[in-house]
Amino acid sequence: MQPIILIFACLIIGIVLRWSGRLPDTATKALGGWVINVALPAAALGSVHDLKLHPDWWLAAATPWIGVVLAIIVIVPLCHVFRWKSHRAGALLLVAGWGNTSFVGLPMITAFAGSQWLGLGIVIDLFGSYLALSTLGLAIASIASAGHFDWRAVGKRIVTFPPFIAILVAFATNHLERPEWLTQIVTSIAETLTPIALAAVGYALRLDRISGRLAALGVGLGFRLFVAPLAIMLMYIALHQAGDPVAKVAMLEMAMPPMLGASIIAIDNDLEPDLVALLIGIGVPLSMLTAWAWWSVIALL
């Protein structure tokens, strides 16, 4: 319960800071810069170390990638139908395509499936959500913000993206012992991700700007909270694996609200920040109900 309370508290702090006028209008960019360049890499370094992998976890780890591909298949045509511009399409793909498999997902795993499955949740988050965000997500953001595909620019952004570099370093040093002081520093920095990211979203959240964005909100949250988990559940049913505890955790993770890291990247690239903040601000509270509903179904499989 404590992580869930923290999420709401940090969103409210961001809203209050905007109302107070104590921070400049560019505060969201500054806070997002810390998240992308410092906190996300630290979280990747901290998650990988001493992580034990199991061969039967790889399909579960691939589910965030499957979710993103499905988002492209579903959302891009809808954007053409509604004649939405590339900035809105990019925002929806990033925020609806990626679920919060860590700071909401891990507490949900503990609450519903049990703490013994946290290792699997970390694998799904790191090899699925984080790795996909550091590559495919960054490509989507670059294309949507520029309006065209420049493979050199996209490739340069990916290989110089701090979270991607951190994942590579974490893989290369996973077998090495770390001094306790280094572990504590990495952990402390990583723990700033959730409060600062949510404060940045709260700062950008303006419920008075919901007008004209209801259809986009419906598409984004409809996909993230209903279509994506349903698709993964049907996939596991078709594979006759829906009763496997690993599959149940993967399905639960797919029912999570929009990912904070993806939302910060969208805001950092000026992909309709008002819509992004609304998707997070509405999606996170709503997911408390929808995730419980999905687990009620998943547990019966």
Side-chain angles (χ1 to χ4, degrees):
M1 182 59 71
Q2 187 269 339
I4 306 302
I5 295 173
L6 176 65
I7 288 171
F8 287 109
C10 292
L11 273 173
I12 293 170
I13 287 170
I15 294 170
V16 171
L17 284 172
R18 177 173 56 81
W19 284 348
S20 70
R22 293 180 179 273
L23 296 180
D25 292 339
T26 56
T28 297
K29 285 277 190 180
L31 294 171
W34 172 269
V35 170
I36 292 171
N37 296 293
V38 182
L40 271 174
L45 286 170
S47 297
V48 170
H49 193 56
D50 288 334
L51 185 63
K52 302 294 188 269
L53 303 177
H54 298 268
D56 60 338
W57 287 4
W58 289 112
L59 179 57
T63 53
W65 292 84
I66 296 171
V68 174
V69 172
L70 182 61
I72 294 171
I73 293 171
V74 173
I75 293 176
V76 170
L78 286 174
C79 289
H80 284 297
V81 170
F82 286 107
R83 298 182 180 180
W84 290 335
K85 295 182 179 179
S86 62
H87 280 58
R88 174 167 290 188
L92 287 172
L93 286 174
L94 283 167
V95 183
W98 274 263
N100 195 325
T101 51
S102 55
F103 303 103
V104 177
L106 294 181
M108 288 288 189
I109 289 174
T110 300
F112 294 129
S115 59
Q116 71 271 22
W117 294 106
L118 284 176
L120 173 58
I122 292 172
V123 167
I124 294 171
D125 184 55
L126 186 67
F127 292 88
S129 301
Y130 268 93
L131 192 55
L133 181 64
S134 300
T135 50
L136 184 55
L138 204 61
I140 290 171
S142 298
I143 294 168
S145 61
H148 64 275
F149 179 68
D150 183 340
W151 69 268
R152 286 190 177 89
V154 171
K156 182 179 179 181
R157 288 196 66 183
I158 290 173
V159 299
T160 59
F161 189 51
F164 181 69
I165 296 171
I167 289 174
L168 297 181
V169 171
F171 287 162
T173 61
N174 187 38
H175 62 290
L176 300 177
E177 288 292 330
R178 288 183 188 171
E180 183 61 29
W181 62 267
L182 180 59
T183 299
Q184 291 179 355
I185 289 174
V186 170
T187 301
S188 296
I189 295 174
E191 288 175 347
T192 66
L193 194 158
T194 299
I196 293 181
L198 281 165
V201 171
Y203 195 88
L205 180 61
R206 295 172 183 264
L207 293 176
D208 59 320
R209 296 186 180 180
I210 198 170
S211 177
R213 296 184 171 90
L214 285 174
L217 281 170
V219 169
L221 294 180
F223 179 85
R224 177 69 262 145
L225 299 178
F226 298 100
V227 176
L230 176 62
I232 296 303
M233 185 176 72
L234 292 176
M235 180 192 76
Y236 275 112
I237 290 173
L239 294 172
H240 303 289
Q241 297 180 17
D244 186 341
V246 173
K248 291 180 183 292
V249 172
M251 288 185 274
L252 176 63
E253 284 280 64
M254 190 54 64
M256 291 302 105
M259 183 184 184
L260 292 177
S263 69
I264 293 299
I265 289 175
I267 291 173
D268 190 58
N269 284 272
D270 290 322
L271 301 179
E272 201 164 344
D274 289 337
L275 174 61
V276 171
L278 286 166
L279 285 164
I280 293 286
I282 297 172
V284 170
L286 184 60
S287 72
M288 301 298 110
L289 177 61
T290 58
W292 169 81
W294 277 115
W295 182 254
S296 299
V297 175
I298 293 166
L300 297 175
L301 298 176

